Amino acid sequence: QKEVEQNSGPLSVPEGAIASLNCTYSDRVSQSFFWYRQYSGKSPELIMSIYSNGDKEDGRFTAQLNKASQYVSLLIRDSQPSDSATYLCAVPSSNTGKLIFGQGTTLQVKP
Amino acid sequence: EAGVAQSPRYKIIEKRQSVAFWCNPISGHATLYWYQQILGQGPKLLIQFQNNGVVDDSQLPKDRFSAERLKGVDSTLKIQPAKLEDSAVYLCASSSHLAGGPPGELFFGEGSRLTVL
């Protein structure tokens, strides 16, 4: 089992719809979770972090965490073509602290 | 505030040749990372420095890869000899957090794209 798993996609949604991106992780002790966005040919940038169970909202983005199910998701409301990118889920290893990335989910928002 | 600087942006070499990448982190950031990102995959940590010491190099192929951060500021990643499977983007990142705590936000450079023919 991979340490951090994501569906590679592509996930295609129409403009204005809600995009739902999912991530599962194997380390039950993990305490912090991160979503990075990576545009094609660019480097990753942090867009959300979440540390406790439940939802965290920031503008059009909502991160959801369920530690019991070892599941973290990212919702993007009112999706825009500019949201088209690869979204990387990242979880620190509880043993070493190093940040482990999933393979990323490619999101395509069609006008 | 200046971001993470990397060079060169692109490099094409033949297998068995050597290559070096340079990174200058954000000023004041104690922790520096080198990640390898193969097309279609997420970044994979090669080595993590805190100041000029190595925190984690468990996934660095030490028979061909080496990295240093001699003065605790900028860093160099070297590959010698290169193999076809080393074709990837090499991302340098820095953060202000210290090892042992949650990683916080990593700031990435633009990356160095390596093609090995």
Side-chain angles (χ1 to χ4, degrees):
Chain A
Q1 181 188 10
K2 290 183 180 178
E3 294 174 278
V4 181
E5 288 203 65
Q6 297 181 255
N7 188 321
S8 61
L11 172 67
S12 183
V13 300
E15 183 174 358
I18 296 175
S20 178
L21 305 161
N22 304 315
C23 172
T24 57
Y25 59 93
S26 61
D27 188 344
R28 289 190 163 276
V29 187
S30 295
Q31 295 294 317
S32 52
F33 307 87
F34 304 88
W35 284 99
Y36 281 76
R37 177 177 62 199
Q38 186 173 27
Y39 290 114
S40 181
K42 300 295 185 181
S43 56
E45 57 178 338
L46 181 68
I47 54 171
M48 288 287 285
S49 57
I50 187 166
Y51 302 92
S52 53
N53 274 334
D55 296 0
K56 178 182 176 183
E57 189 174 314
D58 184 0
R60 296 187 296 112
F61 296 94
T62 298
Q64 298 177 319
L65 175 60
N66 184 326
K67 289 185 178 180
S69 299
Q70 294 175 243
Y71 178 93
V72 58
S73 64
L74 180 70
L75 301 179
I76 306 175
R77 291 183 301 281
D78 187 24
S79 295
Q80 301 296 310
S82 58
D83 295 325
S84 297
T86 296
Y87 290 81
L88 297 161
C89 175
V91 182
S93 165
S94 58
N95 290 333
T96 65
K98 70 181 181 183
L99 199 58
I100 300 169
F101 287 86
Q103 70 177 94
T105 298
T106 299
L107 172 66
Q108 297 173 346
V109 181
K110 298 191 173 180
Chain B
E1 180 182 75
V4 176
Q6 289 189 248
S7 67
R9 290 291 313 278
Y10 306 92
K11 189 73 176 180
I12 300 174
I13 62 174
E14 295 189 350
K15 60 183 179 183
R16 290 187 290 274
Q17 287 187 324
S18 63
V19 63
F21 302 113
W22 174 83
C23 172
N24 188 267
I26 291 173
S27 178
H29 278 191
T31 306
L32 184 148
Y33 311 80
W34 283 102
Y35 280 86
Q36 179 193 57
Q37 187 172 26
I38 293 172
L39 187 65
Q41 299 182 18
K44 182 183 84 171
L45 181 68
L46 293 176
I47 189 166
Q48 176 182 345
F49 292 96
Q50 181 170 308
N51 296 312
N52 61 350
V54 175
V55 174
D56 188 328
D57 63 356
S58 57
Q59 295 198 80
L60 186 73
K62 297 180 184 64
D63 58 335
R64 298 183 301 104
F65 286 65
S66 65
E68 59 183 15
R69 193 184 184 200
L70 292 177
K71 296 182 179 179
V73 181
D74 56 353
S75 176
T76 303
L77 176 70
K78 296 179 181 177
I79 308 174
Q80 181 180 12
K83 292 185 175 182
L84 296 177
E85 58 261 37
D86 298 331
S87 294
V89 176
Y90 291 86
L91 294 165
C92 179
S94 70
S95 77
S96 56
H97 93 278
L98 299 177
E105 181 172 4
L106 269 60
F107 295 85
F108 285 87
E110 289 295 314
S112 294
R113 183 179 297 275
L114 173 66
T115 302
V116 182
L117 303 176

